[in-house]
Amino acid sequence: MKRTYIYSFLIGGRNSLSAILLAAALLAGCSKALDLEPLDSFSEKSIFSDAATLNLFVNGTYRYLRQPFSADDGLTEGMTDNAYARYVGGQLAYTAGEIVRDNGEGMTRGLWNNAFTAIRRTNSFLEQAATSKIDASILTSLGAEMRFIRAFEYFDLMKFYGGVPIITNTFQLDAKTFDVSRNSIEEVTAFIVKECDEIITVLPGFASAPKGKATKEAAMALKARTLLYAASALFNPSNDQNKWIAARDANKAVMNLPGFNMISNGSDADYYNTFNGKNQTEIIFARYFTPANSQSENTAGEGANFWLYPNSMNAWSGVAPTQDIVDSYEMMNGKLPLEAGSGYDPQNPYVNRDPRFYANFMFNGAIFYDPHTTKMTRALQYYRDKNNPSNPALNGHESRGAAFYADGASPTSYNFKKYTVEGLESRSIGSVTQVNPWIYFRKTEFYLNYAECEIALGNEGPARIAINAVRSKIAGLIPVTESGDALLVRYRRERRVELVLEDHRLHDIRRWKTGPEALNKPVMGVDIYKNGSVMEYNYNFVVDQNRRWVDKMYWAPIPYSEIQRSHNKLTQNPGYQP
């Protein structure tokens, strides 16, 4: 694949916050789905003198809204109690409490530089557009898209770092200083909300916009999620109820948007199809892919299947579910597996569970099509032979003692099914690539967001109605009836199981300030042995004993190089000082 770049005049280093660089960017074309195929280089002058070229520049900027499938460190679930990511050093450093001022960008995937590069692109666009001869209506429309991207990046920055510098202009060559200081969380929140309110009136509606483009509904969703975070304990230590009211109203507006439907057929297949690309009725905003620009972003032909599939399917099991998240899926009678009266049998553990369990996980005995080893639908085998566990011929295909690629076996004896495409190879072969979208916003989230706000405001009735609206889409689930603290616990569990692997859990743990509860415990899996025709499940299997929580982990450290470049105008987050 040919890579091409757009350059503008550079001040400062590539990683400097004060740089003007319109950083190297892959331009994109636009079809029914936003196609991010790189095109030829253009000068800045040609970009702002031709509407079609400028549209390509805007499309290219969407690439800064990151998706997780292009690298092993993309999925944040490995930094939570939901999963274990054994290959990702930045995430392992986080869960071990070893984040310091110089390695924080390992757990954020280099967020600071990525976000401020996109912000600089937007600022330059708005400045150049002011003198462009392109039709004003086109500039206004494209400018709204760029402002959406900038607001999205500011939300990403805020949720990791808290208050960050709000920069709405590029620095001039004769500027006396490029030093900037941090704005407060309240100021960043207000900026995002103001941007969203202003562009909502300009952006097209979802029904008329190409897939992957910013819409008024996407801007409403970004505003609503931002306000939910701003009202939460980490961002709102005084528990200002007005912040919860603003969050409630914004999330209710998204919850009530017409044209988006939660899964209606009530089966685990419908839930699974939401994430494999077959059912898109819930999606408000997503990153779409094409064969030419697949999930791997054309780097190695890998995508979600490669990171999530088991070893038998020529994959890494790079992010593996924990026993903790497995045990969070209730039985069909509404009780947790380990709760009295649940009917749970630890030696037959995967029967009669919440249907979302079957949509989200691969486990011993689960039926799945193996596109690599057997090329047929079969029961998955995470067991080893009890009498001869070192004999690959007797061990299951997915086990740690498997005959094929045992090093890629799941360390917990589970794999994620969500976001995989059943039957598709784990790596691109010929013309086969993975193109199911990464979902940024879907309707169900905003029912849950709304419920959280109502709980915080003491309005339990509307909260239960919203939670049960989510549960009612899955056939057979018993309605939530709890109140008080029990309702909050039930809500948080519902959110956890519904939104697993969607980049929520890490930020929920942090904004709720439940870090010690989530990470001050080892990662547990299950060890399964086959003894004749009988399966034996051992739940005392420790995968990672090194997890611990340190309160500084509620925030990521500002990159120390940026603090130095700002001549200490940027202040560091607590706990990361030299």
Side-chain angles (χ1 to χ4, degrees):
M1 181 192 75
K2 180 172 59 178
R3 290 178 182 263
T4 55
Y5 303 92
I6 299 177
Y7 293 91
S8 184
F9 198 82
L10 168 64
I11 292 181
R14 181 171 63 90
N15 293 320
S16 173
L17 173 60
S18 60
I20 298 179
L21 175 62
L22 290 180
L26 301 177
L27 289 184
C30 178
S31 59
K32 291 183 179 179
L34 186 60
D35 191 338
L36 303 180
E37 184 174 358
L39 303 175
D40 290 336
S41 298
F42 294 92
S43 68
E44 185 175 301
K45 181 178 180 180
S46 67
I47 290 171
F48 289 94
S49 62
D50 178 73
T53 307
L54 186 59
N55 187 64
L56 296 177
F57 174 79
V58 172
N59 288 352
T61 308
Y62 281 94
R63 292 187 76 99
Y64 290 93
L65 303 185
R66 298 182 302 175
Q67 55 89 10
F69 302 130
S70 59
D72 61 354
D73 60 354
L75 291 160
T76 61
E77 218 77 4
M79 291 183 280
T80 78
D81 47 357
N82 284 354
Y84 176 62
R86 57 181 166 181
Y87 299 121
V88 185
Q91 295 191 8
L92 292 172
Y94 181 79
T95 57
E98 295 173 353
I99 294 295
V100 296
R101 70 178 194 186
D102 297 313
N103 69 355
E105 292 301 270
M107 56 88 68
T108 69
R109 298 178 69 203
L111 172 62
W112 188 275
N113 184 60
N114 179 84
F116 277 110
T117 299
I119 289 166
R120 288 192 294 271
R121 284 174 67 94
T122 301
N123 294 341
S124 181
F125 173 96
L126 297 173
E127 291 174 359
Q128 296 289 338
T131 58
S132 174
K133 302 301 183 182
I134 295 173
D135 184 88
S137 63
I138 294 175
L139 293 171
T140 299
S141 177
L142 294 177
E145 292 184 56
M146 293 293 285
R147 291 171 68 186
F148 172 82
I149 294 170
R150 183 174 65 181
F152 195 107
E153 295 292 357
Y154 265 113
F155 171 68
D156 257 2
L157 288 165
M158 186 186 85
K159 70 186 182 186
F160 273 106
Y161 306 107
V164 296
I166 298 175
I167 302 173
T168 58
N169 63 283
T170 56
F171 291 99
Q172 301 303 312
L173 284 171
D174 58 353
K176 293 182 179 180
T177 178
F178 302 127
D179 301 346
V180 292
S181 57
R182 298 173 69 172
N183 290 85
S184 68
I185 291 172
E186 290 75 14
E187 289 169 334
V188 176
T189 300
F191 175 78
I192 297 169
V193 170
K194 182 175 183 291
E195 288 288 283
C196 289
D197 283 341
E198 291 180 359
I199 62 178
I200 282 168
T201 63
V202 179
L203 290 169
F206 178 87
S208 61
K211 287 184 176 181
K213 284 271 199 176
T215 64
K216 61 182 58 185
E217 294 91 345
M220 291 173 65
L222 175 58
K223 171 185 172 179
R225 191 189 286 176
T226 299
L227 287 171
L228 175 73
Y229 277 57
S232 302
L234 181 64
F235 300 84
N236 181 23
S238 67
N239 196 28
D240 182 346
Q241 294 287 281
N242 289 322
K243 293 183 178 180
W244 284 111
I245 292 170
R248 176 197 62 190
D249 294 346
N251 280 280
K252 185 175 183 181
V254 180
M255 183 179 76
N256 292 334
L257 279 172
F260 304 94
N261 300 307
M262 289 197 296
I263 302 164
S264 59
N265 294 334
S267 72
D268 59 297
D270 292 318
Y271 182 95
Y272 177 60
N273 287 341
T274 296
F275 304 96
N276 68 13
K278 293 180 180 179
N279 179 4
Q280 299 185 20
T281 61
E282 264 209 286
I283 297 177
I284 296 172
F285 183 61
R287 171 75 175 270
Y288 293 90
F289 304 96
T290 67
N293 293 277
S294 65
Q295 288 182 357
S296 68
E297 299 193 4
N298 300 307
T299 55
E302 296 152 357
N305 282 12
F306 179 70
W307 307 121
L308 301 177
Y309 265 180
N311 53 315
S312 62
M313 301 177 194
N314 198 25
W316 277 16
S317 304
V319 182
T322 62
Q323 188 66 45
D324 195 271
I325 183 60
V326 167
D327 290 342
S328 296
Y329 284 76
E330 62 197 47
M331 308 295 286
M332 288 301 292
N333 62 10
K335 294 182 179 293
L336 288 173
L338 303 183
E339 193 174 349
S342 70
Y344 172 74
D345 179 356
Q347 295 306 313
N348 190 16
Y350 310 129
V351 297
N352 204 31
R353 304 291 289 271
D354 178 337
R356 291 171 293 189
F357 173 83
Y358 306 106
N360 285 334
F361 304 114
M362 302 182 199
F363 50 89
N364 193 52
I367 305 300
F368 199 77
Y369 184 88
D370 176 354
H372 192 80
T373 306
T374 63
K375 299 187 183 301
M376 61 184 294
T377 298
R378 62 176 177 82
L380 300 181
Q381 305 167 348
Y382 289 88
Y383 62 79
R384 288 178 291 166
D385 184 77
K386 185 172 184 179
N387 298 313
N388 196 355
S390 62
N391 186 346
L394 300 177
N395 295 333
H397 289 301
E398 287 70 49
S399 74
R400 293 184 298 278
F404 178 77
Y405 193 25
D407 287 346
S410 168
T412 64
S413 299
Y414 300 102
N415 285 86
F416 280 108
K417 180 180 176 182
K418 191 175 194 174
Y419 269 116
T420 66
V421 177
E422 184 172 3
L424 188 70
E425 280 274 6
S426 66
R427 312 181 196 208
S428 297
I429 297 177
S431 62
V432 178
T433 54
Q434 192 156 357
V435 297
N436 50 310
W438 167 252
I439 302 171
Y440 295 112
F441 301 122
R442 65 181 178 101
K443 189 167 187 177
T444 296
E445 175 200 338
F446 297 91
Y447 278 80
L448 295 169
N449 293 355
Y450 170 77
E452 183 173 336
C453 296
E454 291 289 32
I455 291 171
L457 291 167
N459 302 322
E460 294 186 349
R464 280 191 291 268
I465 290 172
I467 296 169
N468 287 329
V470 174
R471 292 174 63 81
S472 67
K473 71 183 183 179
I474 304 295
L477 291 187
I478 296 172
V480 166
T481 60
E482 287 88 344
S483 61
D485 291 343
L487 177 60
L488 179 60
V489 170
R490 191 67 182 272
Y491 159 75
R492 289 183 174 180
R493 187 170 81 233
E494 184 68 23
R495 183 180 181 90
R496 183 183 182 187
V497 302
E498 171 70 26
L499 302 179
V500 67
L501 209 65
E502 296 182 51
D503 193 33
H504 290 282
R505 183 62 177 171
L506 172 65
H507 308 297
D508 287 346
I509 289 169
R510 293 169 57 248
R511 68 186 180 86
W512 293 335
K513 300 191 74 173
T514 58
E517 173 188 330
L519 286 182
N520 267 344
K521 58 186 177 184
V523 174
M524 305 297 292
V526 60
D527 213 4
I528 308 168
Y529 289 98
K530 185 177 181 181
N531 188 7
S533 61
V534 177
M535 294 291 177
E536 298 179 2
Y537 292 81
N538 169 24
Y539 298 96
N540 296 318
F541 183 65
V542 177
V543 177
D544 181 5
Q545 189 70 54
N546 297 321
R547 288 193 167 189
R548 70 186 184 102
W549 180 263
V550 183
D551 278 349
K552 69 177 182 178
M553 293 159 58
Y554 284 123
W555 301 113
I558 304 293
Y560 185 57
S561 60
E562 294 299 309
I563 293 175
Q564 290 177 307
R565 289 189 179 102
S566 75
H567 299 100
N568 294 312
K569 286 290 292 292
L570 283 174
T571 56
Q572 184 58 275
N573 277 324
Y576 298 108
Q577 286 78 7

